[in-house]
Amino acid sequence: MPHLVCGRGDPLSVRQAVILAGGKGSRLLPLTRERPKAMVEVHGVPILRHQLDWLAGCGVERVVVSAGHQAQVIVSYLDSRPSSPRAEAVVEKRPLGRGGGLRRAARALPYPGEPWFALYGDIWTCFCLCAMRAHHLRSGVAATVALAGPGLPGSAVACDELDRVTDLAPTVPGPGRVNAGVYLFAWRVVALLPEEGDHADSTLPRLVGARQLAGYSIDAPWQAVNTPADVIRLERDLAARRATCPAGAECPSGRAVVR
């Protein structure tokens, strides 16, 4: 998938991000036998590299990767990576859950007080993050979540006419949009994250109840990589897109180009 170049010098760019990459990836076996889920390759490119390149193209300067299972593979990869953004790993000594991992990694971000992106480490997508930031600012909320679909399998999300999230439904396929695993958080959300556990069970419902979580619909291709079949499907889809979408096309947002 081509990468966007959308944040360089843009006042709407966000300088820092967290990638959650601590899961075991049991459903991805045997691909995760010797590597963590985020290092599984798609067309020879680790998911983590794709995400880092995407973030760099959207103006992100610093990334903290929350690592756990087989963390040394991620640590070694980041140590050998010469290109931007500058990235470091925070290693969990014991599983903290997604919310705990986000909170611990966020505390290591270099720009306290500034907003930050958060990505699940098994997501393959590419869209203009500066446009997401603009939507976040217009909404005046503490947090914004990207919404993929409609009709994709995943955690369904309902929004009102102002794009405020009103309901976080169980994981079922349906006609609506789903949580794409990409968030933009105001700094104050760090204090709302649990020390341990899943933010989807605590922080997100609290934000919904306070009408402080906005949804941002994306029309870009999106794939959660959870099984070997997902990898095969994604590689097939990427090959088809390369055949029909030449490099140099303009981003639909008008704020980015494809390289």
Side-chain angles (χ1 to χ4, degrees):
M1 185 180 297
H3 290 292
L4 297 179
V5 183
C6 63
R8 296 174 183 176
D10 194 316
L12 294 179
S13 63
V14 175
R15 297 196 292 171
Q16 55 189 1
V18 167
I19 297 176
L20 276 178
K24 290 185 177 181
S26 301
R27 288 189 289 164
L28 265 168
L29 286 170
L31 300 179
T32 50
R33 184 166 291 136
E34 297 179 353
R35 70 187 75 184
K37 194 176 186 181
M39 291 300 294
V40 168
E41 294 185 352
V42 177
H43 278 316
V45 177
I47 299 171
L48 180 59
R49 175 185 165 184
H50 168 76
Q51 293 189 337
L52 290 171
D53 289 348
W54 171 36
L55 289 169
C58 289
V60 174
E61 302 170 3
R62 301 285 294 275
V63 178
V64 176
V65 180
S66 177
H69 178 67
Q70 300 194 65
Q72 190 54 47
V73 177
I74 290 176
V75 172
S76 297
Y77 175 74
L78 296 180
D79 287 345
S80 66
R81 177 183 167 84
S83 55
S84 62
R86 182 177 172 185
E88 62 178 303
V90 171
V91 179
E92 297 180 4
K93 295 182 179 179
R94 57 185 177 82
L96 298 175
R98 292 189 302 180
L102 279 175
R103 182 179 177 117
R104 188 166 184 268
R107 286 172 170 169
L109 287 169
Y111 306 119
E114 294 191 13
W116 50 291
F117 287 112
L119 281 64
Y120 296 162
D122 57 1
I123 298 302
W124 191 287
T125 189
C126 189
F127 59 90
C128 180
L129 291 172
C130 290
M132 182 175 177
R133 165 69 163 158
H135 181 83
H136 175 82
L137 291 174
R138 288 193 301 268
S139 300
V141 292
T144 298
V145 57
L147 304 177
L152 293 171
S155 181
V157 177
C159 296
D160 63 16
E161 66 280 359
L162 298 176
D163 292 325
R164 301 291 178 94
V165 175
T166 58
D167 188 32
L168 301 168
T171 303
V172 293
R177 290 185 175 267
V178 300
N179 186 331
V182 181
Y183 300 88
L184 176 54
F185 290 131
W187 183 257
R188 63 183 183 274
V189 174
V190 177
L192 303 179
L193 292 167
E195 294 283 355
E196 294 187 30
D198 195 335
H199 61 295
D201 297 331
S202 54
T203 309
L204 296 187
R206 181 174 177 181
L207 290 170
V208 170
R211 294 181 58 80
Q212 284 295 304
L213 180 62
Y216 176 67
S217 297
I218 61 172
D219 295 321
W222 176 89
Q223 175 75 59
V225 183
N226 293 314
T227 68
D230 290 335
V231 176
I232 295 171
R233 184 183 307 109
L234 178 57
E235 290 183 334
R236 183 181 63 240
D237 290 348
L238 289 175
R241 288 182 205 128
R242 289 193 182 104
T244 59
C245 184
E250 291 188 359
C251 171
S253 70
R255 306 181 61 87
V257 296
V258 177
R259 67 177 180 184

